[in-house]
Amino acid sequence: RRDAFGSRRLNTESIRPPRATTRHEDCSPNFASLHVSRGLVPRYRTRVAVGSFPRPYGKYELIAPLGEGGMGQAFKARLIDQTRPSPTVVIKTIQPGLARSSKLSRMFIEEAHLVARLEHPNIVRVFDLGQTDEGELFMALEHVDGVDLRHLLEYASRHRIEAPIWFYLHVVSEVLGGLAHAHSMVDEHGQPAPIIHRDVTPSNILLSAEGEIKLSDFGIAVRAEQTSSGSKDLTGKVAYMAPELLEGQPQDARADVFAVGVVLWECLALRPLFAAGTDFDSMLAITRGPRTPPSRLNTRVSAELDQIVLTALEPEPSRRFASAAQLRARLVQVLLGERPDFSLEEVRHVANVLMGREHPTRSFAVGDALASEPPPAKAPSTPAARRFDIPASSTLRIAPAVLSDLVLSSVRATLPPVPARASRGPCISVRQGDGRTICPLAPLDALTYLASQDVVAVSADGQTWLDRETAVRCAGAADLLASSHPLDVQLAGDLGPVSVLSIIASIGLQAMTGRLRLDTQEAGSFEIDVVDGRPTFVRTEEPNLRTYLVLTRCGLLPAAEIDAMLEACWTSASPLEARVAEARGILAPQLRSLILKQELACALAAEHGRYSFDAGATPRRLEVGSDELAPLLLGAIELGLSVEELQRRLAPSLAARLEATAALPTVLAQLPLGKATLAALTGLFTRAPSNLMLGEIPAAELHRFLSALYLVREIGLVQVS
């Protein structure tokens, strides 16, 4: 069989890792020409990224650089052949520094070995593996003229475009077709030898301008027999790794099924699923956290599709779909129900819209930014779309979780450990609206069921039942609560002219009671309940702000004790922070203030969206933390805004003369400020701005100084003269 270059299809049997002294006469498009010895690595003289384009590279001509990844560089290229037109290819090289590792060199060659065996229209083909005269390893792959799925999702989120669900189902089903082919491979003896991709992410799913879908980057793929004993090597993006991979357990093709489930969830919800503050947070969310049904974030998702996604995301492999082919069959059924007769032209149109090349038609749900006609006026309660931002690395940063001044790290080291309890196994029961009971469940698994509106009650002993809302609030999982809509709006407007901080401060100064709703473009919606001007409860869409995760990151709740604490909360119908405070000998209001600061920090960082205050709403929590309003907001500012961000927001004030109001000393006296910070703030209002140098403030005090200045400015205690 001839390939696109007119040469025989790749023969991978003779490939071995390279050595420095080997030179071969010809780098033909089959592997038989590369005869090198095992165990040695090449020495690199130059780096191919340097220089102008186009330029020769062995028998290829490099046209332009395409990018640089974790192991190497990629270039758009073509074969130098004067006899016939040359197809465009991608030349993939291994980084010179990494190539000195025999392990990575073998990985590079192993990728070519694996992919060369795969003949499928939904998998990027490998045409050639060669070595330059300088000893540089390279691979020639099929060129896909288009973009990756990550680019499309980010564009859709940024411009608030909701593509038809059938499009995402088609893309994912095509990827599953390629995976099913890889998982069904056999060896030379006809025995099953499945290839597991292990890095299925939106970045590795390519969509061509012609509407083709291709799965790429088998760089960390392995044969199934290589994973039979588990692995401690975490290679790839953590947010898409299956739980068994993170736990070092044996893995099979169902690890790819899990990754596809994550990708499909993110396509439907237009937000990351498991990307958290740190790799540890992501791992905890994957192995122990709940799975929110995508219909909670996208009302167009059917109950059947919800069930398919949640089954693919099951932590236990035996409860997932048995194969990629089985998952694909279920998705195709839903796809035929959604759109049985779509054409390739329609696929190209949707892809081009998400690339910004065409204007969306009425089949799209489009936000204000790209609507072809002026949309009807929106009520203040309409949430803005959450920005989709899959990290290029493995993590997504949120507000840092650090202890408040009232819970010092030096004190934490002396606190007694949480009392150990005998493990009784799963013991939680959940009751559905039709009266059926699901049990026994581990507490964190029960939280997964609470994400469904079908669950109406929870019990820790099978006798005493808590209603769903009470159980969710006791667990500190505010993201599972249904959002409310303002009934008695007293304040409303756009964020931007006014900040979130100034709105909260205004409500506090007027001692108002009710619910502040924020619909932000940066972080989704927030609902902040206030009693006499003091925040008491925050409902957010961010699952990483759940109480047990905040306390775990702060070192106050060991991960191994989360289940036991949740069980105790539901047994006594008491908030999680109260149980942890009792176990650690800390005052509950102190922990409540710490959690409020974390929640408010994410809200204060938002700058775009709308706000409305519902004076008729009944607060869902009446007790407040131990901090007064000003210290509480100061702590939230420090958590949510960096020094650089504060300097940006304060730039106009730092360049002008400021005058203080008579109430400023009273508020400053409430803040936990050091002598240097207090002196700098006082001096700020007594001298010309040109004499104020931020360099005069100790580095350890600069963040708090800027936070305090931002607070008093937004409260209205200083004015520009």
Side-chain angles (χ1 to χ4, degrees), residues 450-470:
L450 283 171
S452 171
Q453 297 289 339
D454 293 337
V455 173
V456 297
V458 175
S459 176
D461 55 13
Q463 298 178 354
T464 304
W465 292 84
L466 299 178
D467 64 87
R468 178 180 179 274
E469 182 171 346
T470 301

Side-chain angles (χ1 to χ4, degrees), residues 300-617:
R300 299 179 300 154
V301 176
S302 65
E304 181 183 6
L305 186 53
D306 259 348
Q307 185 59 44
I308 292 174
V309 175
L310 294 180
T311 302
L313 293 174
E314 282 284 357
E316 176 58 44
S318 62
R319 295 163 62 180
R320 286 181 218 143
F321 292 101
S323 65
Q326 187 182 61
L327 173 56
R328 183 176 188 274
R330 289 292 305 277
L331 287 181
V332 169
Q333 289 180 351
V334 179
L335 175 59
L336 293 177
E338 289 274 346
R339 188 67 179 272
D341 56 351
F342 67 89
S343 64
L344 187 60
E345 180 61 34
E346 290 175 293
V347 174
R348 286 196 293 265
H349 169 65
V350 176
N352 284 330
V353 169
L354 297 181
M355 294 179 199
R357 297 175 178 175
E358 296 183 17
H359 200 70
T361 61
R362 292 188 179 276
S363 62
F364 291 78
V366 189
D368 296 348
L370 291 182
S372 57
E373 297 179 2
K378 295 183 179 180
S381 59
T382 302
R386 178 185 176 88
R387 177 182 173 85
F388 187 94
D389 188 15
I390 296 179
S393 60
S394 59
T395 60
L396 179 67
R397 182 183 180 277
I398 62 172
V402 298
L403 291 174
S404 68
D405 294 332
L406 297 174
V407 189
L408 301 175
S409 58
S410 59
V411 177
R412 180 182 61 188
T414 65
L415 293 174
V418 175
R421 6 179 339 128
S423 176
R424 299 191 290 117
C427 57
I428 305 299
S429 304
V430 298
R431 180 178 294 164
Q432 296 179 303
D434 57 8
R436 291 184 296 175
T437 299
I438 303 174
C439 66
L441 298 170
L444 280 175
D445 291 335
L447 273 179
T448 303
Y449 282 89
L450 283 171
S452 171
Q453 297 289 339
D454 293 337
V455 173
V456 297
V458 175
S459 176
D461 55 13
Q463 298 178 354
T464 304
W465 292 84
L466 299 178
D467 64 87
R468 178 180 179 274
E469 182 171 346
T470 301
V472 167
R473 286 163 53 188
C474 287
D479 59 295
L480 299 182
L481 293 174
S483 61
S484 63
H485 300 283
L487 302 174
D488 182 11
V489 177
Q490 288 194 355
L491 301 172
D494 293 321
L495 296 176
V498 294
S499 67
V500 174
L501 177 59
S502 64
I503 298 168
I504 297 176
S506 176
I507 293 172
L509 292 174
Q510 300 178 59
M512 303 173 75
T513 296
R515 181 169 301 148
L516 172 65
R517 181 181 176 94
L518 305 171
D519 296 312
T520 73
Q521 296 180 12
E522 295 88 351
S525 68
F526 294 85
E527 292 177 3
I528 305 173
D529 291 3
V530 294
V531 176
D532 295 331
R534 294 280 304 281
T536 61
F537 182 85
V538 178
R539 178 201 171 273
T540 172
E541 295 179 349
E542 180 54 73
N544 290 295
L545 290 178
R546 291 182 179 179
T547 298
Y548 67 86
L549 290 176
V550 173
L551 294 178
T552 298
R553 288 194 293 262
C554 292
L556 295 172
L557 177 60
E561 292 294 332
I562 293 176
D563 275 331
M565 278 295 176
L566 286 174
E567 178 188 344
C569 290
W570 288 331
T571 300
S572 60
S574 58
L576 179 62
E577 66 266 21
R579 304 294 305 181
V580 174
E582 179 183 355
R584 303 304 298 266
I586 305 173
L587 295 178
Q590 293 178 346
L591 284 189
R592 185 65 198 144
S593 292
L594 170 64
I595 295 167
L596 275 173
K597 288 177 184 177
Q598 295 286 324
E599 295 166 337
L600 292 173
C602 287
L604 295 183
E607 293 186 279
H608 304 93
R610 287 189 58 82
Y611 70 91
S612 57
F613 183 77
D614 182 4

Side-chain angles (χ1 to χ4, degrees), residues 120-162:
H120 196 274
N122 298 120
I123 296 177
V124 172
R125 292 177 58 198
V126 172
F127 295 130
D128 189 9
L129 175 68
Q131 191 175 29
T132 66
D133 291 343
E134 291 79 12
E136 294 174 341
L137 281 175
F138 70 88
M139 191 189 310
L141 302 98
E142 176 184 6
H143 177 255
V144 179
D145 182 17
V147 297
D148 59 54
L149 181 60
R150 176 188 174 190
H151 174 92
L152 300 188
L153 294 177
E154 289 180 343
Y155 186 91
S157 179
R158 185 165 58 251
H159 295 279
R160 292 184 289 166
I161 299 176
E162 296 182 9

Side-chain angles (χ1 to χ4, degrees), residues 14-73:
S14 61
I15 295 301
R16 302 181 180 89
R19 67 178 181 181
T21 57
T22 298
R23 290 186 56 152
H24 51 278
E25 299 301 323
D26 177 45
C27 293
S28 63
N30 67 72
F31 287 173
S33 64
L34 187 57
H35 298 281
V36 289
S37 300
R38 182 175 301 277
L40 299 179
V41 298
R43 297 180 61 185
Y44 287 80
R45 299 179 185 175
T46 59
R47 188 171 180 176
V48 293
V50 178
S52 59
F53 294 91
R55 70 171 184 271
Y57 184 74
K59 61 180 178 179
Y60 295 94
E61 181 182 49
L62 302 183
I63 302 174
L66 293 177
E68 185 170 340
M71 284 187 61
Q73 298 168 288

Side-chain angles (χ1 to χ4, degrees), residues 189-204:
H189 304 294
Q191 298 300 314
I195 297 173
I196 307 173
H197 190 284
R198 295 204 307 167
D199 196 23
V200 180
T201 69
S203 300
N204 290 333

Side-chain angles (χ1 to χ4, degrees), residues 168-190:
Y168 292 125
L169 295 180
H170 169 68
V171 170
V172 173
S173 64
E174 292 289 279
V175 171
L176 286 167
L179 285 174
H181 173 73
H183 296 167
S184 63
M185 295 299 294
V186 296
D187 60 19
E188 60 274 13
H189 304 294

Side-chain angles (χ1 to χ4, degrees), residues 702-721:
L702 180 59
H703 196 183
R704 177 151 295 185
F705 167 81
L706 294 173
S707 299
L709 179 58
Y710 184 61
L711 173 64
V712 297
R713 189 194 73 172
E714 295 303 298
I715 291 178
L717 299 180
V718 297
Q719 300 175 352
V720 178
S721 60

